[in-house]
Amino acid sequence: MKHWAIWLPLALFGVLFAVFASGLIAPGDRTISSQMIGKPLPDFDLPQAVPDRPALARTNFTDGKPRLLNVFASWCVPCIAEAPYLQQLADAGVEINGVAIRDRGPDVQAFLARNGNPYARIGADDVSKIQFDLGSSGVPETFVIDGKGMITYQHIGDIRPEHVPVILQKLKEAQ
């Protein structure tokens, strides 16, 4: 009757192996759906983050022209990786406004000097209030905002070459 106890560790290992293998073979959907799509930008009026770019407010997004809102930080490594692609979008005529999260002006200036400055306006969100109001979980995140101030698309994470055409299409759809 006790010889079944010898096989118990092997059976437990087999069950654990099957559970882990099923997760590797057919992983679950990890897509994060934004709860902000179709909702207006929250009301905000941020001070300028750097001297050579104007401050940023919700009213800057309600003039009829779709644009991007990019949440970034100078201390964010993926923000460095996405900088050339933001510049590519800006060179294509896309207006990009930025929100610098929990950052200092001199650090933002140094970041922009090193990585380029695709931003028309940059607001300073020293306490992450706008970031949380947008439902942003981290940096970087980019939002497509239509000309009425409505959020039409949210890109979580850094923008890579394969994302540029998608973002351009989302901006076109937002017109």
Side-chain angles (χ1 to χ4, degrees):
M1 193 86 175
K2 292 192 178 201
H3 25 323
W4 65 267
I6 291 174
W7 298 103
L8 186 61
L10 182 60
L12 287 173
F13 175 77
V15 169
L16 284 175
F17 180 80
V19 168
F20 288 124
S22 69
L24 289 173
I25 293 168
D29 182 15
R30 296 184 185 257
T31 303
I32 300 171
S33 299
S34 174
Q35 301 300 309
M36 295 299 291
I37 303 295
K39 294 184 180 173
L41 272 175
D43 194 31
F44 65 91
D45 189 0
L46 299 174
Q48 67 186 134
V50 294
D52 65 336
R53 292 294 187 265
L56 185 65
R58 184 187 189 286
T59 56
N60 300 124
F61 294 88
T62 58
D63 65 356
K65 178 183 173 190
R67 64 199 72 197
L68 295 180
L69 176 62
N70 179 253
V71 180
F72 76 101
S74 67
W75 43 263
C76 162
V77 174
C79 297
I80 296 168
E82 82 170 353
Y85 309 110
L86 286 173
Q87 190 61 57
Q88 184 180 349
L89 288 162
D91 292 344
V94 174
E95 183 177 323
I96 305 171
N97 292 309
V99 175
I101 300 298
R102 295 187 180 268
D103 229 326
R104 294 181 24 227
D107 294 336
V108 174
Q109 283 181 293
F111 174 86
L112 297 173
R114 278 191 315 270
N115 303 296
N117 187 350
Y119 303 105
R121 298 174 171 275
I122 305 174
D125 187 4
D126 296 334
V127 295
S128 298
K129 179 173 177 3
I130 302 310
Q131 180 185 20
F132 293 134
D133 289 350
L134 286 167
S136 170
S137 60
V139 289
E141 285 193 35
T142 304
F143 299 84
V144 173
I145 313 298
D146 72 9
K148 298 175 188 162
M150 301 291 285
I151 299 169
T152 63
Y153 178 72
Q154 179 179 3
H155 178 86
I156 298 172
D158 58 316
I159 295 172
R160 298 182 183 167
E162 63 269 21
H163 302 136
V164 171
V166 173
I167 291 171
L168 288 171
Q169 180 60 39
K170 295 295 184 180
L171 279 161
K172 189 176 183 180
E173 291 170 7
Q175 290 189 358

